[in-house]
Amino acid sequence: MNDRRTHRVIRLFCAITITAALTLLYRHTPPQTPQSAEIRLTTAEAREGWLNLCGWAVTPVSESPMRIPTVWNTEIGQRWLMLQGKQGLSPEDHAGEAATRYCYHIENIAAEGMTADAWYAELVLCGDLLVGAQVYCAASPDSIQSVR
């Protein structure tokens, strides 16, 4: 009976020691900070090169000024915002700012039932900072997908 009590005390002591060690380890582990997804594309060549690195062969189509929305209260707006977040981009940090939308025809895409000339890539930049990117089929509004 005395041995049982001794073993119980030893197990309790071990459990307390392990718990204390884990608590100290957890408290002293510096928090992991997410890597910055800041992508600067300063020239037309840099924009096309970035899309090429993502696997897309592109030809420029258009460039147009826009303003980053301050509210994304539609379903499409919410989906677009979520898509950007999954790619590590944060357009909401630039809400209300002037931006430029760059549209590119994608030459190397083949989707079942879709013609290749209907697929596009878009980049949205505030200055030279990439804040939005997507690939989509002009014939299918639900086809929006990430660039990377």
Side-chain angles (χ1 to χ4, degrees), residues 62-76:
S62 65
E63 174 181 329
S64 57
M66 64 172 286
R67 190 156 299 279
I68 302 295
T70 55
V71 178
W72 286 270
N73 56 2
T74 65
E75 183 182 334
I76 292 171

Side-chain angles (χ1 to χ4, degrees), residues 128-143:
D128 62 0
L129 179 65
L130 182 65
V131 298
Q134 62 271 346
V135 169
Y136 64 94
C137 177
S140 175
D142 293 333
S143 65

Side-chain angles (χ1 to χ4, degrees), residues 35-41 47 49-58 81-91 106 109 120-124 129-136 143-148:
Q35 286 189 341
S36 172
E38 189 172 284
I39 299 170
R40 299 234 174 238
L41 304 171
R47 291 187 295 274
W50 186 80
L51 286 167
N52 294 159
L53 287 173
C54 292
W56 306 111
V58 297
L81 193 59
M82 266 194 330
L83 178 71
Q84 303 318 311
K86 288 178 182 178
Q87 297 180 101
L89 303 173
S90 302
I106 298 175
I109 194 165
Y120 297 91
E122 273 187 3
L123 302 178
V124 177
L129 179 65
L130 182 65
V131 298
Q134 62 271 346
V135 169
Y136 64 94
S143 65
I144 188 170
Q145 56 188 299
S146 66
V147 170
R148 356 183 211 187

Side-chain angles (χ1 to χ4, degrees), residues 12-49:
L12 182 61
F13 176 75
C14 288
I16 292 170
T17 303
I18 290 170
T19 303
L22 290 174
T23 302
L24 287 174
L25 179 65
Y26 178 74
R27 284 186 183 170
H28 292 336
T29 302
Q32 296 292 325
T33 55
Q35 286 189 341
S36 172
E38 189 172 284
I39 299 170
R40 299 234 174 238
L41 304 171
T42 57
T43 64
E45 292 80 17
R47 291 187 295 274
E48 287 184 47

